[in-house]
Amino acid sequence: MDQSKSSGRGRGQSKDRGRGTGRGRRKAPDKRARNEEANKRQRIDEGDESLPAYATKFSQEEIEAEGRKPKKKVAVMLGNHHEKTIEGDLFSAFVAAGAISKANANDPKKSSLVRCARTDRGVHAAGNVISLKMIIEDPAIVKKINEKLSPQIRVWGIERTNGSFSAYQLCDSRIYEYLIPTYCFLPPHPDSFLGKELPRLAGEANDLTGYQERQSEVSNFWKDTEIEIVEPFLDSLDSELSSTIRKVLYDVEPSYIETKEDTAASGTSDVGKIEFSPTDTALDSVHGLSTTNQTVEEDNQQPLVSIHDSNPTPGEVYTEEAEKPKEGSGRAPPSPLEAALKQLKSMIIARKKTYRIDPKRLARVQSVLNQYAGTHNFHNYTISKLPRDPSAKRVIKSFTVGPKPIIINETEWLSLKVHGQSFMMHQIRKMVTMAALIVRCGCPDERMNDTYGHEKLTVPKAPSLGLLLERPVFDTYNSKMRVEDAEGKGEVAFEKYEKEIEEFKQREIYERIFREENAHDTFHSFFASLDILQRSDLLYLSSLGVPAAKRQMAESEKDGKSVEQIVPEVSDDEGEDANGQEG
């Protein structure tokens, strides 16, 4: 027999199962690797980075003096709003409170610590769960742990579980909340690129009447703003400055502004030119786009656009004296154009914050969110997923908007809650953006279905500021516990801590979100930036649909940059797991 043929067993090959090669056998314990791991733990006091920085090495005398106490597998229910990883703080508090022995303090793996959802830097979580082995014989252990933690981290309770419980593997689903100002559902300004294209394309698609009907309850907002805010302000300026502001306010992207250097190079007169130096930031403030090549750290929660130093009230008249920098500030005096644009932007934002959503529009928001329910292909709502990738299919149980908006700092907010089995990176933030764009662009609700198809469409991700994990759900495990009636073992649920959690959310999470938005106008910057981008990427939101987004536009669209690379955003990683899970 041909030796080459005999080497390929074909159908009978599976019978060998790797005999002789070791592939089919259970591997024997690697004693060398085990000893090396023990040596790593011993090197912790020498600054070895292979173990967490928060691991603690106690002396043998301290360990022996403490004695041995029984450990039990538990679920720790907690909440956090913190600017760094909380696992180190939690583990240190467990050790300090006596819930983890000094013998196990040098390595969290000894306690089998597993988290349900990510607890990294910047993540808000009203309810989260970690599972581990702990010493819980002290009835006051929760109180003692909380005494060792900052107010931004709270342990709600500890429940004894069965030995196989894993907070990650046994979590059925997760509920996230997203807080968003209602002014985000206003239509784009009629003079912005998107504001001009939407009605034009609606007419081209013979849907102008339908488009106007879908925007009927907000049709007068920008007209009234123009009459009551913009016109009086411009009338207070000299005619040349007023004309320039009118020209650049909504219609011109920063990259199209002619600089002083351009004017000098061309040898043309300054008369009638829009004169801007490369360091001017007035248009940043109006549009939410940066005119300089700034690099922003991903984890930075500071605003990505220049923000005015004060918030003038509507109707306040611009004066050069008011805009002069304070003595010793080191800041160059703003040009009259920069100062006027900055003040007008403040007045327009203040006007937007007075908007109160109409019940009809609120019902439209819920109608759009309903389109997410069920199993869909969310490849357009994450990164690095192809349309045919089976892992892009996700189950959304519900997506609801709170029926009663709340008013904080004169801004009206909506609470959006999504309940799903699991989420991919950026998915929730992109779902929020998509729902807001469908409403504010006045396109049919069914446009959502186009994002589930094989076309690659642009869906920017909303600011991470409003996202928080409300709670993970363990219904299957809890049902099993009720059937088994296991003595001493409880359900992993948050209902009994509802009052404490609500107080924590208000104090540590909501207030920060409201405070940051009030200071930095994060949501205004994000949506205003989308409105003025002179690209076809978002025109699938028009009545004409996907074909409009496929049309080739100006040469500027061939720069290879995506909308995500152009539009300013806050931290990309807040509430998201790089391994594929949003929370």
Side-chain angles (χ1 to χ4, degrees):
M1 179 182 284
D2 188 345
Q3 200 69 13
S4 63
K5 293 182 179 179
S6 66
S7 62
R9 294 188 56 86
R11 183 177 298 177
Q13 188 175 11
S14 61
K15 294 180 180 179
D16 179 56
R17 300 192 186 281
R19 291 188 181 95
T21 66
R23 292 192 313 179
R25 299 176 183 174
R26 175 179 292 181
K27 290 184 178 180
D30 189 337
K31 295 182 179 180
R32 180 177 297 176
R34 188 169 60 192
N35 291 337
E36 177 61 20
E37 180 65 24
N39 291 335
K40 285 182 181 179
R41 293 170 183 163
Q42 292 300 316
R43 292 199 300 271
I44 187 170
D45 52 350
E46 299 175 11
D48 181 44
E49 295 182 359
S50 63
L51 291 174
Y54 53 82
T56 306
K57 179 75 184 299
F58 290 94
S59 67
Q60 191 61 35
E61 291 78 11
E62 290 175 300
I63 293 174
E64 291 176 356
E66 184 183 46
R68 295 178 61 88
K69 297 178 182 179
K71 296 184 295 182
K72 305 294 182 182
K73 192 66 173 287
V74 300
V76 179
M77 285 160 282
L78 57 101
N80 75 276
H81 158 57
H82 218 234
E83 292 304 320
K84 62 175 183 176
T85 177
I86 69 166
E87 288 183 355
D89 290 346
L90 276 172
F91 193 78
S92 298
F94 293 159
V95 173
I100 290 179
S101 67
K102 293 178 180 178
N104 293 334
N106 68 337
D107 190 354
K109 292 179 182 178
K110 290 182 177 180
S111 299
S112 303
L113 191 151
V114 175
R115 63 177 181 253
C116 168
R118 177 174 169 171
T119 55
D120 277 0
R121 182 186 187 274
V123 175
H124 318 298
N128 203 350
V129 174
I130 62 173
S131 56
L132 73 163
K133 296 175 183 177
M134 287 178 64
I135 302 167
I136 57 172
E137 58 186 22
D138 185 347
I141 192 63
V142 171
K143 182 176 181 292
K144 290 182 178 180
I145 292 172
N146 281 327
E147 288 173 352
K148 305 297 182 181
L149 293 169
S150 71
Q152 288 78 36
I153 309 174
R154 293 291 89 184
V155 170
W156 308 127
I158 299 174
E159 290 291 348
R160 173 99 179 270
T161 66
N162 59 29
S164 61
F165 180 80
S166 167
Y168 181 78
Q169 294 177 349
L170 295 182
C171 179
D172 295 320
S173 56
R174 297 166 178 83
I175 299 174
Y176 281 84
E177 182 177 21
Y178 193 92
L179 298 177
I180 184 170
T182 57
Y183 71 71
C184 296
F185 297 95
L186 285 167
H189 191 279
D191 290 337
S192 67
F193 174 76
L194 203 53
K196 290 177 179 178
E197 287 297 300
L198 292 172
R200 184 184 72 79
L201 292 172
E204 189 175 328
N206 297 317
D207 184 44
L208 186 57
T209 301
Y211 169 79
Q212 291 172 340
E213 170 60 27
R214 292 186 290 271
Q215 302 282 41
S216 60
E217 67 275 7
V218 290
S219 60
N220 291 325
F221 179 84
W222 287 116
K223 293 178 184 177
D224 293 343
T225 300
E226 189 76 12
I227 294 171
E228 299 171 18
I229 302 295
V230 179
E231 289 297 344
F233 179 81
L234 294 180
D235 288 344
S236 70
L237 308 176
D238 66 70
S239 58
E240 184 178 352
L241 183 58
S242 176
S243 175
T244 301
I245 291 176
R246 172 71 69 187
K247 185 174 182 180
V248 303
L249 185 55
Y250 294 109
D251 193 41
V252 181
E253 289 190 69
S255 59
Y256 301 152
I257 302 299
E258 185 168 3
T259 66
K260 292 176 182 176
E261 285 79 1
D262 294 332
T263 302
S266 64
T268 57
S269 170
D270 288 346
V271 179
K273 295 289 184 182
I274 305 169
E275 191 173 276
F276 248 73
S277 72
T279 57
D280 279 338
T281 56
L283 287 178
D284 307 15
S285 303
V286 176
H287 299 310
L289 286 172
S290 176
T291 57
T292 58
N293 295 322
Q294 292 176 313
T295 301
V296 183
E297 296 181 7
E298 285 192 353
D299 288 337
N300 189 1
Q301 284 299 306
Q302 297 303 313
L304 305 194
V305 294
S306 61
I307 301 298
H308 46 269
D309 295 324
S310 61
N311 293 302
T313 57
E316 185 178 345
V317 178
Y318 156 75
T319 63
E320 290 190 16
E321 189 66 31
E323 285 296 330
K324 286 182 180 179
K326 295 178 180 179
E327 188 175 349
S329 66
R331 187 163 56 91
S335 68
L337 175 58
E338 179 185 10
L341 278 170
K342 186 181 293 187
Q343 185 174 359
L344 183 54
K345 177 236 181 181
S346 301
M347 297 166 68
I348 291 172
I349 292 175
R351 173 72 174 193
K352 289 172 70 174
K353 290 181 177 181
T354 66
Y355 172 70
R356 302 296 179 254
I357 195 165
D358 186 274
K360 181 180 177 181
R361 204 158 186 84
L362 184 61
R364 178 110 203 278
V365 173
Q366 184 59 70
S367 177
V368 172
L369 294 177
N370 289 342
Q371 304 295 314
Y372 285 127
T375 303
H376 301 291
N377 187 337
F378 286 98
H379 72 95
N380 276 315
Y381 294 80
T382 186
I383 58 174
S384 305
K385 293 283 185 185
L386 297 174
R388 298 186 184 278
D389 189 335
S391 67
K393 289 189 176 180
R394 300 290 163 131
V395 179
I396 303 299
K397 295 175 177 290
S398 65
F399 207 149
T400 59
V401 58
K404 293 184 178 179
I406 58 173
I407 298 176
I408 303 292
N409 297 329
E410 300 182 0
T411 301
E412 187 179 59
W413 293 77
L414 292 178
S415 169
L416 312 180
K417 291 188 179 182
V418 58
H419 185 186
Q421 285 187 347
S422 61
F423 298 95
M424 297 177 289
M425 189 174 186
H426 303 325
Q427 182 182 343
I428 296 174
R429 290 166 60 188
K430 285 175 175 280
M431 291 169 76
V432 169
T433 300
M434 189 67 207
L437 286 175
I438 286 179
V439 174
R440 69 197 305 271
C441 292
C443 70
D445 297 3
E446 296 74 26
R447 187 55 41 75
M448 187 83 73
N449 295 329
D450 293 334
T451 66
Y452 304 144
H454 290 295
E455 291 280 2
K456 186 63 179 175
L457 300 174
T458 297
V459 183
K461 54 184 179 290
S464 59
L465 177 64
L467 181 65
L468 66 134
L469 172 63
E470 182 168 280
R471 68 179 185 274
V473 179
F474 295 86
D475 285 344
T476 302
Y477 173 80
N478 291 339
S479 297
K480 182 180 178 182
M481 288 295 98
R482 285 193 292 269
V483 171
E484 294 182 356
D485 194 24
E487 185 177 352
K489 297 182 177 67
E491 296 182 16
V492 182
F494 291 85
E495 283 73 15
K496 66 176 76 173
Y497 313 112
E498 207 69 57
K499 182 180 178 181
E500 296 95 322
I501 291 174
E502 281 303 314
E503 290 175 354
F504 178 81
K505 283 166 67 175
Q506 290 291 339
R507 183 182 70 253
E508 299 295 340
I509 301 178
Y510 288 170
E511 284 303 319
R512 174 194 178 255
I513 293 174
F514 301 145
R515 187 169 59 249
E516 294 247 342
E517 165 60 17
N518 191 54
H520 304 315
D521 304 320
T522 305
F523 288 95
H524 161 82
S525 297
F526 174 70
F527 284 104
S529 300
L530 296 180
D531 293 346
I532 68 161
L533 283 179
Q534 301 193 24
R535 298 165 60 103
S536 65
D537 302 62
L538 298 178
L539 294 185
Y540 68 89
L541 292 156
S542 69
S543 300
L544 206 58
V546 174
K550 298 302 177 184
R551 294 176 177 177
Q552 193 67 26
M553 295 191 63
E555 285 296 317
S556 61
E557 202 161 332
K558 298 177 182 179
D559 58 10
K561 291 184 178 180
S562 67
V563 171
E564 298 259 303
Q565 292 173 304
I566 299 173
V567 176
E569 296 174 290
V570 290
S571 169
D572 279 349
D573 74 336
E574 184 171 345
E576 298 164 351
D577 190 331
N579 293 323
Q581 183 175 299
E582 180 91 30

